[in-house]
């Protein structure tokens, strides 16, 4: 029994996700499309479980797992095999550690792989081609656990009288879903409290499974064939306009969340995702209701088609977009990705999946069976599998950017050994230092404290910024830069001019952390603030707001000078072509521009007074 208008729910989820990935600056909350999929899956699976038990007084676990396998695994394998050859069109960086990415995707552990490797859903130096399969991993975990529990509850329910068994099964299934939904949401609510980067609770199957169970509760109450009496009465007697209104309000709410919700906001995890799940549930019920009230109105073909291929489109779109976006303009990459994803998904859904499952595929009034397709499918599969295996074996372990940062880190460690000598010598000159401090005199030169962007160009800076020392580290935030500054101050090695080049990884309390640096910098220093640059950043991102704040400070604090990297970098987009929009991957033009911005600021700072008190 196919429920009309459910297609609108699936299409809504798909459009939200695609729009988020293609236009992340504008549609910052489109990731809730995944929660729509989760909620719908929980509803549909649980409703079908109830229908099966009502029909046969049992739930066949093996058949359930087999259906899930044939629906999920073939498109996933196809996506992996077809995408890998396309990576040879672009930088080898996209194949960095691709073997482990593929293993995680096919093993349905991408979510925990990303957590273990420090992956972020929004920010990666080199985006993982299969990071989007994190949601598939969470979904598979749900199917495995929920299927086994439904089988167990079915066994227990069969011990009751036949007229009681069905109600017992539905009651226990609904109660267990309610417990799991509450537990999962509370785990996310509590777990997000101490985090600045929320991927660990977003990816985690335990904290992000509540949409499935909210959907399951709805499936128990208003399933496919068997609904609770009040729901059944409403769907049979409620006016269609009310169902349409419910769906419309839910859709407007979901689109609004897509525009305004932010991945890096605590409120997203303490109610935002639950609100999106609730709106998805309302839309699902509205579709279920409208189905009953429009028996003579057919669902448009295009709607059913897009719903059918939505899962495979989700699988194909992300790796294709990552590749194409490095070869062409963003709008062209989004368009080509959409067209190719739909075409490949149609091939998968209407031909390959049924044939692999032992069924006949009907395309253009022609019947295709495994016997006819076996030779070409096996041949192409072997070629693609061999190429994928070759790519996994020969893939670099580190991207060029990561190699650059790693090497720079080694040089920095060597320099720190030499710096230790300076600290020891400084300790023997305490009287001289105290005298200098009394006169607000500091060691001459420039101390640069930076993040991964600075680390990537560290060697060049050392040679081209006179009398400088550079301390840089990947993922450094403003509070960590403050710690470095304080340590160097205490050791007496912080130089007269201090450059703080941190901010791309700006946290919510960026203003508080920046002002700690301004206030706790000792007298006798000049401070240069280098504005952060991220080509993908919207005006309301923390890094963008930090740059605005930094530009205002020299008017109040004469000892502060701005090195406006954000504006300088924006004028040279070629430096960031094919990168994450933050790092320039050791390109000489980037090194030269970065050093020039610092040197110009150092010259300007030399004309300003040092901090007096």
């Amino acid at each position: 029994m196919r429920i009309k208008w459910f297609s609108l729910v699936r299409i809504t989820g798909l459009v939200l996700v695609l729009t988020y990935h293609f236009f992340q600056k504008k549609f910052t909350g489109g990731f809730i499309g995944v929660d729509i999929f989760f909620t719908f899956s929980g509803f549909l699976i649980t409703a079908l479980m109830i229908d099966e038990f009502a029909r046969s007084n049992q739930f066949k676990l093996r058949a359930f797992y087999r259906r899930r396998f044939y629906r999920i695994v073939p498109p996933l394998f196809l996506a992996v095999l077809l995408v890998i050859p396309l990576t040879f069109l672009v930088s080898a960086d996209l194949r960095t550690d691709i073997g482990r990415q593929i293993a995680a995707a096919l093993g349905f552990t991408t979510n925990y792989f990303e957590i273990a490797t420090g992956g972020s859903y929004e920010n990666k130096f080199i985006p993982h081609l299969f990071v989007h399969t994190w949601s598939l991993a969470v979904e598979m975990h749900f199917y495995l656990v929920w299927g086994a529990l439904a089988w167990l509850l079915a066994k227990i329910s069969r011990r009751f009288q036949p007229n009681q068994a069905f109600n017992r099964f539905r009651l226990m299934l609904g109660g267990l879903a309610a417990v799991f939904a509450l537990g999962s949401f509370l785990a996310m609510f509590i777990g997000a409290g101490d985090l600045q980067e929320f991927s660990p609770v977003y990816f985690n199957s335990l904290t992000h499974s509540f949409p499935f169970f909210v959907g399951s509760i709805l499936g128990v109450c208003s399933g496919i064939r068997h609904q609770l009496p009040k729901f059944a009465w409403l769907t049979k007697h409620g006016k269609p306009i009310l169902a349409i209104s419910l769906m419309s309000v839910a859709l407007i709410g979901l689109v609004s969340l897509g525009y305004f919700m932010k991945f890096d906001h605590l409120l997203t995890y303490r109610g935002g995702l639950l609100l999106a799940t609730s709106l998805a549930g309302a839309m699902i019920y509205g579709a279920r209701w409208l189905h009953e009230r429009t028996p003579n109105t057919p669902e448009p073909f295009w709607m059913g088609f897009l719903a059918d291929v939505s899962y495979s489109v989700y699988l194909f779109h992300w790796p294709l977009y990552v590749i194409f976006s490095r070869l062409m303009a963003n709008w062209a990459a989004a368009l080509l990705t959409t067209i190719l994803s739909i075409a490949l998904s149609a091939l998968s859904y209407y031909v390959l999946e049924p044939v692999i499952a032992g069924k006949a595929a009907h395309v253009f009034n022609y019947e295709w069976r495994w016997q006819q397709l076996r030779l070409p499918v096996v041949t192409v599969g072997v070629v693609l599998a061999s190429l994928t295996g070759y790519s996994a074996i020969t893939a670099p372990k580190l991207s060029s950017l990561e190699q650059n940062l790693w090497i720079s880190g080694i040089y920095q460690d060597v320099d720190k050994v030499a710096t230790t000598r300076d600290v020891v010598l400084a300790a023997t000159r305490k009287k001289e230092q105290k005298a200098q401090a009394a006169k607000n005199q500091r060691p001459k030169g420039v101390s640069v404290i930076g993040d991964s962007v600075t680390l990537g160009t560290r060697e060049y800076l050392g040679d081209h910024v006179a009398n400088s020392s550079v301390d840089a580290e990947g993922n450094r935030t403003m509070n960590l830069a403050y710690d470095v500054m304080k340590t160097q101050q205490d050791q007496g090695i912080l130089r007269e001019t201090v450059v703080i080049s941190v901010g791309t990884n700006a946290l919510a309390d960026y203003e508080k952390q920046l002002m700690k640096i301004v206030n706790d910098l000792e007298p006798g220093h000049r401070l240069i603030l280098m504005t952060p640059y991220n080509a993908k950043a919207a005006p309301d991102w923390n890094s963008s707001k930090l740059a605005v704040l930094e530009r205002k400070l020299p008017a109040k604090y004469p000892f502060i000078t701005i090195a406006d990297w954000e504006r300088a970098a924006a004028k040279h987009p070629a430096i960031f072509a094919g990168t994450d929009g933050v790092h320039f991957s050791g390109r000489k033009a980037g090194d030269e521009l970065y050093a020039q911005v610092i040197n110009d600021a150092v010259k300007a700072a030399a004309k300003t007074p040092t901090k007096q008190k």
Side-chain angles (χ1 to χ4, degrees):
M1 179 181 178
R2 179 160 183 158
I3 303 296
K4 294 179 298 184
W5 319 121
F6 274 172
S7 298
L8 286 172
V9 180
R10 290 176 172 174
I11 293 171
T12 299
L14 180 64
V15 170
L16 287 173
V17 170
L18 294 183
T19 309
Y20 169 64
H21 285 156
F22 295 160
F23 310 105
Q24 192 180 107
K25 292 181 186 179
K26 302 294 184 182
F27 207 65
T28 57
F31 52 84
I32 63 171
V34 171
D35 294 270
I36 297 175
F37 286 135
F38 284 179
T39 308
F40 183 77
S41 292
F43 167 85
L44 188 60
I45 291 301
T46 304
L48 292 176
M49 287 174 173
I50 289 174
D51 286 353
E52 180 179 345
F53 190 86
R55 183 177 62 253
S56 62
N57 201 38
Q58 61 180 329
F59 174 70
K60 295 180 180 179
L61 183 61
R62 184 178 299 179
F64 171 76
Y65 285 156
R66 183 168 56 250
R67 291 192 298 271
R68 294 298 88 206
F69 175 87
Y70 282 123
R71 182 66 190 98
I72 293 174
V73 176
L76 176 60
F77 268 85
L78 183 63
V80 171
L81 295 179
L82 289 179
V83 161
I84 293 301
L86 295 177
T87 62
F88 289 91
L89 298 175
V90 292
S91 169
D93 283 347
L94 281 184
R95 296 193 298 279
T96 301
D97 204 19
I98 196 66
R100 290 206 300 166
Q101 291 185 52
I102 293 173
L106 299 182
F108 301 102
T109 57
T110 296
N111 57 335
Y112 291 116
F113 171 75
E114 293 296 328
I115 292 174
T117 57
S120 168
Y121 195 50
E122 290 207 321
N123 299 307
K124 292 287 290 184
F125 293 163
I126 303 297
H128 285 175
L129 289 176
F130 304 110
V131 64
H132 66 309
T133 62
W134 75 269
S135 62
L136 190 58
V138 177
E139 188 165 4
M140 181 59 77
H141 300 162
F142 166 74
Y143 290 148
L144 291 173
V145 172
W146 197 232
L149 290 174
W151 175 81
L152 180 61
L153 294 180
K155 288 284 187 183
I156 296 174
S157 300
R158 291 174 61 185
R159 296 180 179 179
F160 295 90
Q161 295 295 325
N163 60 338
Q164 297 179 346
F166 173 68
N167 289 331
R168 291 281 183 177
F169 177 70
R170 184 159 61 179
L171 178 62
M172 288 191 292
L173 204 61
L176 195 59
V179 171
F180 284 170
L182 179 61
S184 175
F185 173 71
L186 288 178
M188 175 175 281
F189 187 96
I190 296 171
D194 296 327
L195 298 178
Q196 295 289 350
E197 208 291 306
F198 297 100
S199 291
V201 293
Y202 187 79
F203 285 142
N204 198 308
S205 294
L206 296 178
T207 54
H208 205 157
S209 62
F210 64 86
F212 290 105
F213 295 111
V214 170
S216 295
I217 296 171
L218 183 59
V220 169
C221 298
S222 178
I224 306 301
R225 296 185 182 276
H226 297 83
Q227 304 181 75
L228 292 178
K230 291 184 179 179
F231 285 85
W233 184 92
L234 184 59
T235 54
K236 289 181 179 180
H237 299 89
K239 295 181 179 180
I241 188 61
L242 295 178
I244 295 173
S245 299
L246 178 61
M247 292 186 69
S248 299
V249 170
L251 176 61
I252 293 171
L254 289 168
V255 173
S256 299
L257 289 178
Y259 272 108
F260 298 111
M261 191 175 286
K262 302 288 192 301
F263 187 83
D264 61 352
H265 285 187
L266 180 62
L267 190 60
T268 295
Y269 307 91
R270 289 193 161 177
L273 294 180
L274 180 62
L275 176 58
T277 298
S278 302
L279 290 171
M283 194 172 182
I284 292 168
Y285 181 67
R288 178 71 183 87
W289 180 357
L290 190 60
H291 169 81
E292 294 285 350
R293 303 300 295 150
T294 56
N296 300 318
T297 304
E299 185 179 70
F301 169 79
W302 65 267
M303 197 179 292
F305 169 76
L306 289 178
D308 288 342
V309 301
S310 60
Y311 164 61
S312 295
V313 169
Y314 177 81
L315 287 180
F316 281 110
H317 87 280
W318 174 250
L320 291 178
Y321 174 68
V322 170
I323 294 169
F324 294 150
S325 63
R326 280 157 172 72
L327 299 173
M328 59 193 74
N330 187 68
W331 69 266
L335 180 61
L336 181 58
T337 294
T338 302
I339 294 172
L340 191 55
S341 295
I342 292 175
L344 292 173
S345 299
L347 173 65
S348 174
Y349 183 82
Y350 293 109
V351 179
L352 296 179
E353 293 177 46
V355 167
I356 292 173
K359 303 175 183 178
H362 297 86
V363 181
F364 302 121
N365 297 321
Y366 189 82
E367 184 177 276
W368 298 87
R369 292 189 176 275
W370 175 246
Q371 291 81 355
Q372 300 163 280
L373 298 175
R374 177 170 51 194
L375 181 59
V377 169
V378 172
T379 301
V380 174
V382 169
V383 172
L384 292 177
S386 300
L387 185 57
T388 299
Y390 170 79
S391 300
I393 293 172
T394 60
K397 297 298 181 184
L398 296 174
S399 68
S400 58
L401 172 61
E402 291 168 328
Q403 291 177 33
N404 185 32
L405 296 180
W406 183 67
I407 293 172
S408 296
I410 292 177
Y411 281 121
Q412 177 165 283
D413 290 340
V414 172
D415 289 347
K416 283 184 177 179
V417 173
T419 301
T420 302
R421 178 197 60 196
D422 296 337
V423 173
V424 173
L425 292 175
T428 64
R429 301 197 305 269
K430 288 184 179 180
K431 292 183 179 179
E432 180 181 347
Q433 289 178 16
K434 289 180 179 179
Q436 287 180 341
K439 299 177 182 179
N440 284 348
Q441 296 177 351
R442 302 296 174 186
K444 298 299 181 181
V446 181
S447 291
V448 181
I449 301 173
D451 54 19
S452 58
V453 180
T454 310
L455 182 60
T457 187
R458 181 183 181 281
E459 186 175 0
Y460 188 88
L461 288 182
D463 294 335
H464 294 84
V465 177
N467 194 16
S468 65
S469 68
V470 182
D471 189 308
E473 186 174 341
N475 295 318
R476 178 172 281 169
T477 49
M478 195 67 74
N479 59 310
L480 298 178
Y482 172 84
D483 293 340
V484 174
M485 183 194 78
K486 285 289 291 180
T487 298
Q488 291 189 9
Q489 276 190 163
D490 295 342
Q491 294 173 343
I493 60 174
L494 188 67
R495 304 189 182 188
E496 184 178 34
T497 301
V498 181
V499 178
I500 301 295
S501 182
V502 174
T504 304
N505 305 299
L507 304 178
D509 61 346
Y510 63 88
E511 182 174 1
K512 173 184 176 183
Q513 297 299 337
L514 175 60
M515 294 314 299
K516 283 183 64 177
I517 288 178
V518 173
N519 294 328
D520 291 356
L521 181 68
E522 293 178 348
H525 291 288
R526 296 181 177 91
L527 179 62
I528 295 176
L529 299 176
M530 198 161 186
T531 57
Y533 175 72
N534 184 341
K536 301 177 181 178
D540 61 344
W541 285 29
N542 289 338
S543 59
S544 301
K545 291 187 287 188
L546 171 63
V548 172
L549 172 62
E550 289 178 334
R551 293 188 188 103
K552 295 178 180 178
L553 294 181
K556 183 177 180 181
Y557 302 95
F559 64 91
I560 295 180
T561 302
I562 299 301
D564 213 330
W565 172 242
E566 183 186 50
R567 289 176 176 168
K571 295 177 182 178
H572 298 81
I575 292 175
F576 301 92
T579 73
D580 60 353
V582 175
H583 306 84
F584 39 84
S585 300
R587 294 173 179 170
K588 186 177 180 181
D591 293 335
E592 292 173 346
L593 181 62
Y594 199 84
Q596 177 187 331
V597 171
I598 291 181
N599 281 324
D600 288 347
V602 170
K603 292 178 182 178
K607 301 175 182 178
T608 66
T610 61
K611 185 177 182 180
Q612 298 303 306
K613 59 179 181 178

